[in-house]
Amino acid sequence: PEVPQRMLEVLRHGPLRAAVGRALLSTRARRALLYLPAHDEKKAQKAAGLGVDCVCLDLEDAVATTRKGEARAGAVKALQTVDFGRSDRAVRINPLGTDLAAADLEALFQPNQVLPDTLVVPKVNRTRDLDWLFEKVAILCKGWKKRPELALITQVESAIGLLNLRSIIEYDLQDSTESTIFVMSGLIFGADDYAADIGAVRTTGNMEVMYARQSIVAHAKAYGLQAIDLVNINFKDSELLQREAQEGFTFGFTGKQIIHPLQVTPVQEAYTPAEDKISWAVNILTEFARLQAAGGAGAFTVAGQMIDMPTIKQCQNIVALARAAGKLAAEEANEAEAKEAKEAKEGEQAKEGKEQQPPQSSPQK
């Protein structure tokens, strides 16, 4: 994706700016993010065999206050002993600035201990919330021979959090260039908390949170981040789940929060481009590459359809989603883009060569 000017400024400073680049270029798929209470060992074992993109061991909402200590121990044990396969191993801690969150971080960030791949942070409302997180983790990791590197996903759950989202993202990305601990990777929309904060009544149609959903997608895409949509707690209502998942995919979300194994397959299928769409996108990008090599073109036609630059962008998005979902091998997914870049470069070089040739003398009369 095109990198915003602000991020370019961030990337130009600091020896560790590659951390942000990795987040942009190699973000792993999180079509479904499955929460499970961290103290439930059986659920962790079951989740390991589901093939879900992201397993999130929850220390927050899914755990009663009286069982927080048990959940911390369960999360640490699961990370050490459970083979989650290709699934992203995430942990959601308690709200920043609380004693509960401090205890969560102290349990997770111990030397010679398996760390999660991703840290999910709820209720981020202001940049000072992140200050607390970064300072705590820096202290805990001080003196380690190798500093850890984790993906960081923050949750939007209030009106003030939504209004401050741009500054939160930019602050987070800037920290990613200054330490190797966190790589800003995505945003999660906490619809129920957000609705309660603004005094909205929750409905199955989700119209009351439409603005927030679209705003979160816009912010995420502007900064090359993932956008993970609201959770559906009515896990037995498969029709509603499929409708929500398809709607979220149409809006531009890259994944959805889930709470039950029955939700894994329908959600991940909804967030995977269809085979015909993938073929369509690859064919268009291939034709675009050919035309670029031949000297460039504005709008052009493929199979009776007019193709312009917004369509090219859509095709690039489809190919990226297909690659992340494992529907295309990296080489295959990159083929059209690589061909496009190579042939465009060759075309440009040929053009420059012609321009540099001395003009031919007119024939003598």
Side-chain angles (χ1 to χ4, degrees):
E2 184 178 351
V3 183
Q5 183 61 36
R6 169 58 180 160
M7 193 184 296
L8 286 174
E9 293 171 4
V10 171
L11 287 170
R12 291 190 188 105
H13 296 87
L16 299 170
R17 57 187 178 276
V20 180
R22 284 192 295 274
L24 287 172
L25 300 176
S26 60
T27 303
R28 65 195 307 167
R30 294 185 182 91
R31 293 168 296 172
L33 184 149
L34 173 63
Y35 293 111
L36 56 95
H39 60 273
D40 195 324
E41 187 174 351
K42 289 183 179 179
K43 288 184 178 178
Q45 293 284 356
K46 184 176 182 179
L50 294 176
V52 64
D53 285 349
C54 181
V55 175
C56 187
L57 303 168
D58 196 8
L59 302 177
E60 193 209 13
D61 287 346
V63 181
T65 304
T66 56
R67 305 192 72 177
K68 295 292 186 180
E70 185 182 347
R72 290 183 198 105
V76 171
K77 182 178 179 180
L79 291 171
Q80 318 302 309
T81 62
V82 179
D83 181 5
F84 289 102
R86 68 170 187 81
S87 299
D88 181 53
R89 303 165 304 163
V91 174
R92 178 165 70 170
I93 63 173
N94 284 281
L96 299 177
T98 65
D99 291 340
L100 290 175
D104 294 341
L105 295 173
E106 289 169 7
L108 291 171
F109 288 90
Q110 293 294 323
N112 304 316
Q113 185 171 278
V114 177
L115 297 174
D117 301 310
T118 301
L119 192 71
V120 176
V121 182
K123 300 175 177 61
V124 178
N125 294 321
R126 297 173 176 83
T127 57
R128 65 171 176 263
D129 296 334
L130 295 176
D131 275 332
W132 184 91
L133 171 67
F134 299 150
E135 290 172 7
K136 282 286 184 184
V137 175
I139 292 171
L140 290 169
C141 297
K142 188 176 182 180
W144 288 20
K145 291 183 178 179
K146 182 179 180 181
R147 293 173 70 83
E149 183 176 288
L150 284 72
L152 181 65
I153 299 179
T154 60
Q155 293 192 246
V156 182
E157 302 183 74
S158 69
I160 193 64
L162 185 65
L163 292 177
N164 289 334
L165 192 50
R166 178 176 178 176
S167 61
I168 289 169
I169 293 171
E170 292 187 347
Y171 189 81
D172 209 342
L173 287 169
Q174 186 171 11
D175 180 82
S176 294
T177 70
E178 294 170 355
S179 78
T180 55
I181 296 177
F182 292 115
V183 176
M184 181 63 169
S185 298
L187 305 171
I188 290 176
F189 180 40
D192 291 337
D193 283 295
Y194 176 84
D197 188 59
I198 66 172
V201 177
R202 292 293 279 122
T203 67
T204 55
N206 295 315
M207 287 298 295
E208 67 281 2
V209 293
M210 177 75 75
Y211 167 74
R213 290 173 82 190
Q214 294 180 332
S215 179
I216 288 168
V217 168
H219 279 84
K221 296 308 173 74
Y223 290 91
L225 306 174
Q226 291 182 335
I228 301 175
D229 201 10
L230 51 81
V231 68
N232 186 323
I233 61 175
N234 300 313
F235 62 86
K236 292 184 179 180
D237 191 338
S238 59
E239 183 178 341
L240 177 61
L241 177 71
Q242 290 177 343
R243 188 185 78 203
E244 274 188 2
Q246 190 58 55
E247 182 181 68
F249 178 76
T250 303
F251 280 6
F253 282 96
T254 54
K256 183 175 180 64
Q257 302 164 85
I258 61 174
I259 58 170
H260 195 277
L262 291 175
Q263 296 177 316
V264 173
T265 298
V267 167
Q268 293 196 160
E269 287 180 351
Y271 281 91
T272 303
E275 296 288 350
D276 59 339
K277 273 290 187 183
I278 297 171
S279 297
W280 171 79
V282 170
N283 288 339
I284 287 176
L285 291 178
T286 301
E287 178 64 9
F288 178 65
R290 186 188 69 79
L291 291 172
Q292 289 294 99
F300 58 97
T301 302
V302 173
Q305 181 181 7
M306 189 192 80
I307 308 300
D308 55 10
M309 286 310 298
T311 309
I312 295 297
K313 178 66 175 176
Q314 291 175 24
C315 292
Q316 292 169 339
N317 288 337
I318 290 170
V319 166
L321 287 170
R323 182 193 307 151
K327 300 291 285 186
L328 285 175
E331 309 81 46
E332 185 180 358
N334 280 327
E335 184 177 347
E337 295 172 0
K339 183 178 178 183
E340 173 188 334
K342 179 182 177 185
E343 294 184 350
K345 183 178 180 180
E346 290 175 350
E348 188 66 27
Q349 289 174 342
K351 182 179 178 182
E352 290 177 357
K354 288 180 180 179
E355 291 175 349
Q356 292 173 2
Q357 290 178 359
Q360 294 183 354
S361 304
S362 38
Q364 296 289 331
K365 292 184 179 179

